[in-house]
Amino acid sequence: MSPRGTEHPPKCPCCGSPQTELKHRLRAFDVHRCAKCTLLFRHPLPEPESLEEMYEDARYHEGRYFQNSAKAYDLDAPEIRIYSAALAELRRLAPAGRLLDVGCGRGVFLDLARSAGFETSGIELSKRHVDWARSQFELDVVAGEFLDSEHTPASFEIVTMWDFLEHVIDPIAVLNRARELLAPQGLLLVFTIDANSLFNHIADLLASASGGRIARPLELLYDVHHNHYFTRRSLEQLLDNQGFAVAHWASHRAYLGRWLNEPASPALFLGGVVIDRIADVVGLPYRHTAICRRT
Ligand SMILES: [Zn+2]
């Protein structure tokens, strides 16, 4: 028996296809790829009970990712500009209404959404984040698991998920729950990274050309907090299957300074900045925002 229990190829957790293959054997877990929808996914998945502990870990909270979240946050930071552009698009598609941010973190997006005129609520697993969102921004945020939340069906015009869907155990259940909470014709925003980015292609190439010796870029890309690594194709197919029609699509650079929490050499960092620029030109971006309408 394989030490990681992968003696039977797992079915794709998003499209159900049995046509999957082991793609990467990383230090902490294996990554499989679906030949049909092109999703990459961790297998086996972590225990749901372990997630809460993972998201209360001090190292997770002290990372660069959450640094620009004090009350006077920098409006020119790349992630804030992405939030602002998405809010302008949401206002165009749904000029007002109730907005729920799922996995709202420290509440910066909700603070911006409230300023843009939306009636905001949030839900977040990490109690430390919830405390921050309440004390810094006085936001209406509850702590807990989205699938068990007490929100009323059809009570939101907009549901947003920033850097959330790749973290969950069951993306289909999460999208079904979002659909249930949305009013007819409501909007869902999903922001996630793309496992078909130029970064992934280069990390793959480095690992395979070196016989596995240069695995560091690959290990960085397959974040231990993520369970599903969407490609644009697999995300579009999943959204379509769960009853969402894409109304707006935007792609974005990686902006390495934000997510590179692990120590990395200056050469790796500089190389990353160059790849980030080239990815624009060759059309293999690092991440996407999809805004969809509930059909
Ligand atoms: Zn699939």
Side-chain angles (χ1 to χ4, degrees):
M1 181 186 276
S2 155
R4 290 184 184 172
T6 55
E7 64 280 16
H8 299 299
K11 281 188 182 173
C12 173
C14 286
C15 79
S17 171
Q19 294 171 41
T20 63
E21 58 176 5
L22 177 63
K23 176 83 173 163
H24 303 296
R25 179 146 275 194
L26 306 177
R27 280 179 305 176
F29 52 86
D30 293 341
V31 175
H32 292 247
R33 181 180 183 276
C34 172
K36 190 170 171 223
C37 78
T38 72
L39 176 82
L40 288 113
F41 57 98
R42 173 177 176 162
H43 181 79
L45 290 166
E47 294 299 321
E49 298 75 40
S50 70
L51 295 187
E52 200 164 331
E53 189 182 334
M54 184 186 266
Y55 293 119
E56 296 300 352
D57 187 286
R59 277 193 67 216
Y60 180 69
H61 287 268
E62 286 156 9
R64 291 185 195 195
Y65 185 91
F66 299 114
Q67 278 181 2
N68 188 31
S69 55
K71 197 169 175 66
Y73 50 86
D74 176 8
L75 288 166
D76 283 330
E79 73 276 15
I80 306 294
R81 282 190 268 121
I82 292 173
Y83 289 162
S84 298
L87 280 166
E89 196 60 38
L90 288 170
R91 284 192 65 176
R92 190 178 71 77
L93 295 164
R98 296 155 296 178
L99 181 152
L100 174 67
D101 191 25
V102 181
C104 66
R106 292 186 172 190
V108 173
F109 172 72
L110 279 176
D111 185 56
L112 279 172
R114 183 173 53 190
S115 301
F118 293 106
E119 191 184 321
T120 55
S121 307
I123 180 163
E124 165 60 46
L125 193 60
S126 162
K127 294 181 183 68
R128 291 173 61 155
H129 279 338
V130 170
D131 288 346
W132 182 280
R134 287 175 178 163
S135 60
Q136 283 278 316
F137 301 115
E138 297 177 353
L139 285 162
D140 170 24
V141 171
V142 294
E145 161 62 53
F146 176 54
L147 293 178
D148 303 331
S149 82
E150 292 177 358
H151 296 111
T152 308
S155 61
F156 294 96
E157 277 69 43
I158 300 169
V159 170
T160 54
M161 298 177 179
W162 295 94
D163 291 314
F164 178 75
L165 202 59
E166 66 273 22
H167 291 252
V168 306
I169 298 288
D170 186 348
I172 290 178
V174 164
L175 292 180
N176 284 342
R177 175 71 176 146
R179 197 166 187 283
E180 183 182 38
L181 295 185
L182 279 169
Q185 298 296 304
L187 297 170
L188 170 72
L189 179 150
V190 174
F191 174 91
T192 189
I193 56 173
D194 189 331
N196 189 40
S197 77
L198 185 61
F199 282 97
N200 290 72
H201 286 285
I202 290 174
D204 275 1
L205 194 66
L206 287 171
S208 56
S210 67
R213 287 193 305 281
I214 307 177
R216 181 93 179 109
L218 214 52
E219 296 279 354
L220 285 169
L221 282 171
Y222 290 98
D223 188 308
V224 69
H225 299 96
H226 297 177
N227 297 315
H228 302 87
Y229 311 92
F230 296 96
T231 60
R232 178 168 180 163
R233 182 174 146 197
S234 57
L235 180 61
E236 283 182 324
Q237 183 176 325
L238 177 65
L239 290 168
D240 185 55
N241 287 349
Q242 303 317 124
F244 293 101
V246 175
H248 171 80
W249 193 280
S251 301
H252 316 282
R253 286 182 182 167
Y255 302 111
L256 297 189
R258 187 187 187 209
W259 63 263
L260 207 57
N261 292 327
E262 302 287 330
S265 72
L268 185 64
F269 185 79
L270 255 179
V273 171
V274 172
I275 295 167
D276 213 6
R277 299 292 190 276
I278 297 172
D280 279 352
V281 180
V282 297
L284 292 171
Y286 182 69
R287 48 193 185 162
H288 305 289
T289 307
I291 299 177
C292 332
R293 206 174 277 286
R294 182 189 188 281
T295 55

mmCIF file of all heavy atoms in Angstrom, residues 36 50 55-56 69 75 77 91-92 96 99-100 117 123 179 189 193 196 201 232 242 265 275 278 288 292:
data_model
loop_
_atom_site.group_PDB
_atom_site.id
_atom_site.type_symbol
_atom_site.label_atom_id
_atom_site.label_comp_id
_atom_site.label_asym_id
_atom_site.label_seq_id
_atom_site.Cartn_x
_atom_site.Cartn_y
_atom_site.Cartn_z
ATOM 1 N N LYS A 36 -9.932 15.348 -17.484
ATOM 2 C CA LYS A 36 -11.136 15.857 -18.152
ATOM 3 C C LYS A 36 -11.301 17.368 -17.963
ATOM 4 O O LYS A 36 -11.406 18.103 -18.943
ATOM 5 C CB LYS A 36 -12.359 15.103 -17.626
ATOM 6 C CG LYS A 36 -13.615 15.393 -18.421
ATOM 7 C CD LYS A 36 -14.745 14.458 -18.022
ATOM 8 C CE LYS A 36 -16.045 14.917 -18.682
ATOM 9 N NZ LYS A 36 -17.161 14.855 -17.752
ATOM 10 N N SER A 50 -8.944 19.679 11.263
ATOM 11 C CA SER A 50 -7.604 20.275 11.367
ATOM 12 C C SER A 50 -7.575 21.706 10.823
ATOM 13 O O SER A 50 -6.626 22.449 11.063
ATOM 14 C CB SER A 50 -6.582 19.419 10.611
ATOM 15 O OG SER A 50 -6.819 19.521 9.208
ATOM 16 N N TYR A 55 -5.825 27.632 10.711
ATOM 17 C CA TYR A 55 -6.060 29.051 10.476
ATOM 18 C C TYR A 55 -5.949 29.905 11.735
ATOM 19 O O TYR A 55 -6.092 31.113 11.669
ATOM 20 C CB TYR A 55 -7.421 29.244 9.781
ATOM 21 C CG TYR A 55 -7.384 28.676 8.383
ATOM 22 C CD1 TYR A 55 -8.224 27.648 7.999
ATOM 23 C CD2 TYR A 55 -6.449 29.144 7.467
ATOM 24 C CE1 TYR A 55 -8.143 27.105 6.722
ATOM 25 C CE2 TYR A 55 -6.368 28.604 6.197
ATOM 26 C CZ TYR A 55 -7.213 27.583 5.833
ATOM 27 O OH TYR A 55 -7.131 27.048 4.572
ATOM 28 N N GLU A 56 -5.681 29.285 12.880
ATOM 29 C CA GLU A 56 -5.376 30.078 14.076
ATOM 30 C C GLU A 56 -3.871 30.131 14.322
ATOM 31 O O GLU A 56 -3.410 30.819 15.216
ATOM 32 C CB GLU A 56 -6.077 29.496 15.319
ATOM 33 C CG GLU A 56 -7.602 29.531 15.274
ATOM 34 C CD GLU A 56 -8.201 30.933 15.137
ATOM 35 O OE1 GLU A 56 -7.462 31.930 15.215
ATOM 36 O OE2 GLU A 56 -9.418 31.014 14.899
ATOM 37 N N SER A 69 -3.798 45.598 6.454
ATOM 38 C CA SER A 69 -5.177 45.423 6.896
ATOM 39 C C SER A 69 -5.526 46.283 8.102
ATOM 40 O O SER A 69 -6.561 46.077 8.722
ATOM 41 C CB SER A 69 -5.442 43.949 7.210
ATOM 42 O OG SER A 69 -4.505 43.486 8.146
ATOM 43 N N LEU A 75 -4.416 52.298 -0.053
ATOM 44 C CA LEU A 75 -5.370 52.125 -1.153
ATOM 45 C C LEU A 75 -4.690 51.835 -2.490
ATOM 46 O O LEU A 75 -5.338 51.376 -3.432
ATOM 47 C CB LEU A 75 -6.239 53.382 -1.295
ATOM 48 C CG LEU A 75 -7.283 53.580 -0.186
ATOM 49 C CD1 LEU A 75 -7.839 54.984 -0.223
ATOM 50 C CD2 LEU A 75 -8.409 52.557 -0.300
ATOM 51 N N ALA A 77 -2.179 49.686 -2.828
ATOM 52 C CA ALA A 77 -1.603 48.331 -2.835
ATOM 53 C C ALA A 77 -2.314 47.495 -3.909
ATOM 54 O O ALA A 77 -3.513 47.691 -4.155
ATOM 55 C CB ALA A 77 -1.773 47.695 -1.468
ATOM 56 N N ARG A 91 -20.950 46.981 -8.822
ATOM 57 C CA ARG A 91 -21.932 48.088 -8.784
ATOM 58 C C ARG A 91 -22.606 48.263 -10.145
ATOM 59 O O ARG A 91 -23.772 48.636 -10.224
ATOM 60 C CB ARG A 91 -21.249 49.388 -8.363
ATOM 61 C CG ARG A 91 -20.975 49.437 -6.882
ATOM 62 C CD ARG A 91 -20.568 50.814 -6.438
ATOM 63 N NE ARG A 91 -21.668 51.761 -6.618
ATOM 64 C CZ ARG A 91 -21.613 53.025 -6.235
ATOM 65 N NH1 ARG A 91 -20.531 53.493 -5.659
ATOM 66 N NH2 ARG A 91 -22.630 53.836 -6.427
ATOM 67 N N ARG A 92 -21.840 48.000 -11.207
ATOM 68 C CA ARG A 92 -22.405 48.100 -12.552
ATOM 69 C C ARG A 92 -23.470 47.001 -12.757
ATOM 70 O O ARG A 92 -24.524 47.237 -13.354
ATOM 71 C CB ARG A 92 -21.285 47.950 -13.589
ATOM 72 C CG ARG A 92 -21.684 48.263 -15.024
ATOM 73 C CD ARG A 92 -20.499 48.122 -15.962
ATOM 74 N NE ARG A 92 -20.089 46.733 -16.162
ATOM 75 C CZ ARG A 92 -20.719 45.864 -16.941
ATOM 76 N NH1 ARG A 92 -21.788 46.224 -17.613
ATOM 77 N NH2 ARG A 92 -20.269 44.626 -17.071
ATOM 78 N N ALA A 96 -26.975 48.070 -5.937
ATOM 79 C CA ALA A 96 -27.066 48.126 -4.478
ATOM 80 C C ALA A 96 -27.416 46.747 -3.980
ATOM 81 O O ALA A 96 -27.691 45.848 -4.766
ATOM 82 C CB ALA A 96 -28.132 49.130 -4.063
ATOM 83 N N LEU A 99 -24.478 42.231 0.631
ATOM 84 C CA LEU A 99 -23.275 41.511 0.168
ATOM 85 C C LEU A 99 -22.710 40.684 1.319
ATOM 86 O O LEU A 99 -22.497 41.202 2.417
ATOM 87 C CB LEU A 99 -22.249 42.533 -0.335
ATOM 88 C CG LEU A 99 -20.915 42.018 -0.885
ATOM 89 C CD1 LEU A 99 -20.356 42.998 -1.923
ATOM 90 C CD2 LEU A 99 -19.859 41.782 0.195
ATOM 91 N N LEU A 100 -22.459 39.403 1.051
ATOM 92 C CA LEU A 100 -21.825 38.512 2.037
ATOM 93 C C LEU A 100 -20.439 38.136 1.530
ATOM 94 O O LEU A 100 -20.308 37.587 0.436
ATOM 95 C CB LEU A 100 -22.663 37.233 2.230
ATOM 96 C CG LEU A 100 -22.033 36.158 3.122
ATOM 97 C CD1 LEU A 100 -21.928 36.625 4.582
ATOM 98 C CD2 LEU A 100 -22.830 34.848 3.052
ATOM 99 N N GLY A 117 -21.261 51.429 -0.850
ATOM 100 C CA GLY A 117 -22.714 51.508 -0.763
ATOM 101 C C GLY A 117 -23.427 50.184 -0.546
ATOM 102 O O GLY A 117 -24.655 50.147 -0.504
ATOM 103 N N ILE A 123 -18.369 36.225 6.950
ATOM 104 C CA ILE A 123 -18.192 35.011 7.761
ATOM 105 C C ILE A 123 -16.761 34.548 7.586
ATOM 106 O O ILE A 123 -16.207 34.636 6.473
ATOM 107 C CB ILE A 123 -19.223 33.909 7.410
ATOM 108 C CG1 ILE A 123 -18.978 32.670 8.293
ATOM 109 C CG2 ILE A 123 -19.215 33.553 5.920
ATOM 110 C CD1 ILE A 123 -20.148 31.698 8.322
ATOM 111 N N ARG A 179 -25.223 29.499 -3.787
ATOM 112 C CA ARG A 179 -26.379 29.615 -4.684
ATOM 113 C C ARG A 179 -27.676 29.707 -3.873
ATOM 114 O O ARG A 179 -28.585 30.473 -4.190
ATOM 115 C CB ARG A 179 -26.417 28.395 -5.608
ATOM 116 C CG ARG A 179 -27.283 28.569 -6.821
ATOM 117 C CD ARG A 179 -27.030 27.496 -7.857
ATOM 118 N NE ARG A 179 -27.773 27.806 -9.064
ATOM 119 C CZ ARG A 179 -29.079 27.607 -9.195
ATOM 120 N NH1 ARG A 179 -29.780 27.075 -8.203
ATOM 121 N NH2 ARG A 179 -29.693 27.948 -10.315
ATOM 122 N N LEU A 189 -18.904 36.274 -6.732
ATOM 123 C CA LEU A 189 -17.534 36.609 -7.153
ATOM 124 C C LEU A 189 -16.589 35.554 -6.588
ATOM 125 O O LEU A 189 -16.621 35.271 -5.386
ATOM 126 C CB LEU A 189 -17.140 37.998 -6.648
ATOM 127 C CG LEU A 189 -15.719 38.461 -6.996
ATOM 128 C CD1 LEU A 189 -15.670 39.989 -7.135
ATOM 129 C CD2 LEU A 189 -14.659 38.018 -5.976
ATOM 130 N N ILE A 193 -6.284 31.545 -7.592
ATOM 131 C CA ILE A 193 -5.086 31.441 -8.422
ATOM 132 C C ILE A 193 -5.300 30.425 -9.541
ATOM 133 O O ILE A 193 -6.232 29.629 -9.494
ATOM 134 C CB ILE A 193 -3.840 31.062 -7.578
ATOM 135 C CG1 ILE A 193 -4.086 29.775 -6.801
ATOM 136 C CG2 ILE A 193 -3.474 32.203 -6.664
ATOM 137 C CD1 ILE A 193 -2.851 29.274 -6.093
ATOM 138 N N ASN A 196 -2.603 26.798 -14.075
ATOM 139 C CA ASN A 196 -2.031 26.729 -15.423
ATOM 140 C C ASN A 196 -1.244 28.008 -15.726
ATOM 141 O O ASN A 196 -1.050 28.379 -16.878
ATOM 142 C CB ASN A 196 -3.156 26.544 -16.448
ATOM 143 C CG ASN A 196 -2.624 26.240 -17.831
ATOM 144 O OD1 ASN A 196 -1.659 25.487 -17.984
ATOM 145 N ND2 ASN A 196 -3.232 26.842 -18.853
ATOM 146 N N HIS A 201 4.100 26.366 -15.029
ATOM 147 C CA HIS A 201 4.816 25.709 -16.119
ATOM 148 C C HIS A 201 6.324 25.716 -15.872
ATOM 149 O O HIS A 201 7.010 24.715 -16.096
ATOM 150 C CB HIS A 201 4.497 26.399 -17.454
ATOM 151 C CG HIS A 201 3.110 26.087 -17.949
ATOM 152 N ND1 HIS A 201 2.777 24.870 -18.504
ATOM 153 C CD2 HIS A 201 1.975 26.816 -17.954
ATOM 154 C CE1 HIS A 201 1.489 24.871 -18.834
ATOM 155 N NE2 HIS A 201 0.982 26.041 -18.518
ATOM 156 N N ARG A 232 -8.251 27.982 -15.326
ATOM 157 C CA ARG A 232 -9.416 28.761 -15.779
ATOM 158 C C ARG A 232 -10.516 27.822 -16.289
ATOM 159 O O ARG A 232 -11.687 27.974 -15.971
ATOM 160 C CB ARG A 232 -8.990 29.753 -16.867
ATOM 161 C CG ARG A 232 -10.170 30.532 -17.397
ATOM 162 C CD ARG A 232 -9.768 31.706 -18.250
ATOM 163 N NE ARG A 232 -10.984 32.393 -18.707
ATOM 164 C CZ ARG A 232 -11.023 33.620 -19.190
ATOM 165 N NH1 ARG A 232 -9.915 34.305 -19.290
ATOM 166 N NH2 ARG A 232 -12.150 34.160 -19.572
ATOM 167 N N GLN A 242 -22.546 24.239 -11.496
ATOM 168 C CA GLN A 242 -23.263 24.546 -10.248
ATOM 169 C C GLN A 242 -24.284 25.666 -10.433
ATOM 170 O O GLN A 242 -24.819 26.184 -9.461
ATOM 171 C CB GLN A 242 -22.273 24.909 -9.128
ATOM 172 C CG GLN A 242 -21.229 23.844 -8.827
ATOM 173 C CD GLN A 242 -21.787 22.437 -8.792
ATOM 174 O OE1 GLN A 242 -21.336 21.549 -9.510
ATOM 175 N NE2 GLN A 242 -22.799 22.223 -7.979
ATOM 176 N N SER A 265 15.200 33.033 -1.793
ATOM 177 C CA SER A 265 16.429 33.742 -2.153
ATOM 178 C C SER A 265 16.088 34.946 -3.031
ATOM 179 O O SER A 265 15.066 34.941 -3.730
ATOM 180 C CB SER A 265 17.367 32.800 -2.900
ATOM 181 O OG SER A 265 16.840 32.567 -4.193
ATOM 182 N N ILE A 275 8.979 36.726 -14.348
ATOM 183 C CA ILE A 275 7.959 35.791 -14.862
ATOM 184 C C ILE A 275 6.573 36.436 -14.791
ATOM 185 O O ILE A 275 5.748 36.294 -15.705
ATOM 186 C CB ILE A 275 7.978 34.467 -14.050
ATOM 187 C CG1 ILE A 275 9.307 33.739 -14.262
ATOM 188 C CG2 ILE A 275 6.808 33.561 -14.466
ATOM 189 C CD1 ILE A 275 9.543 32.600 -13.275
ATOM 190 N N ILE A 278 6.192 38.564 -17.836
ATOM 191 C CA ILE A 278 6.089 37.783 -19.082
ATOM 192 C C ILE A 278 4.731 37.065 -19.151
ATOM 193 O O ILE A 278 4.141 36.918 -20.224
ATOM 194 C CB ILE A 278 7.255 36.756 -19.175
ATOM 195 C CG1 ILE A 278 8.598 37.484 -19.231
ATOM 196 C CG2 ILE A 278 7.101 35.865 -20.411
ATOM 197 C CD1 ILE A 278 9.807 36.564 -19.120
ATOM 198 N N HIS A 288 -7.220 35.006 -11.125
ATOM 199 C CA HIS A 288 -8.400 35.526 -11.820
ATOM 200 C C HIS A 288 -9.479 35.986 -10.839
ATOM 201 O O HIS A 288 -9.586 35.445 -9.734
ATOM 202 C CB HIS A 288 -9.061 34.433 -12.673
ATOM 203 C CG HIS A 288 -8.169 33.766 -13.659
ATOM 204 N ND1 HIS A 288 -7.695 34.388 -14.792
ATOM 205 C CD2 HIS A 288 -7.649 32.514 -13.686
ATOM 206 C CE1 HIS A 288 -6.950 33.545 -15.480
ATOM 207 N NE2 HIS A 288 -6.899 32.404 -14.829
ATOM 208 N N CYS A 292 -20.075 35.988 -11.557
ATOM 209 C CA CYS A 292 -21.069 35.163 -12.254
ATOM 210 C C CYS A 292 -22.463 35.481 -11.744
ATOM 211 O O CYS A 292 -22.629 35.928 -10.611
ATOM 212 C CB CYS A 292 -20.868 33.682 -11.967
ATOM 213 S SG CYS A 292 -19.241 33.189 -11.597
#
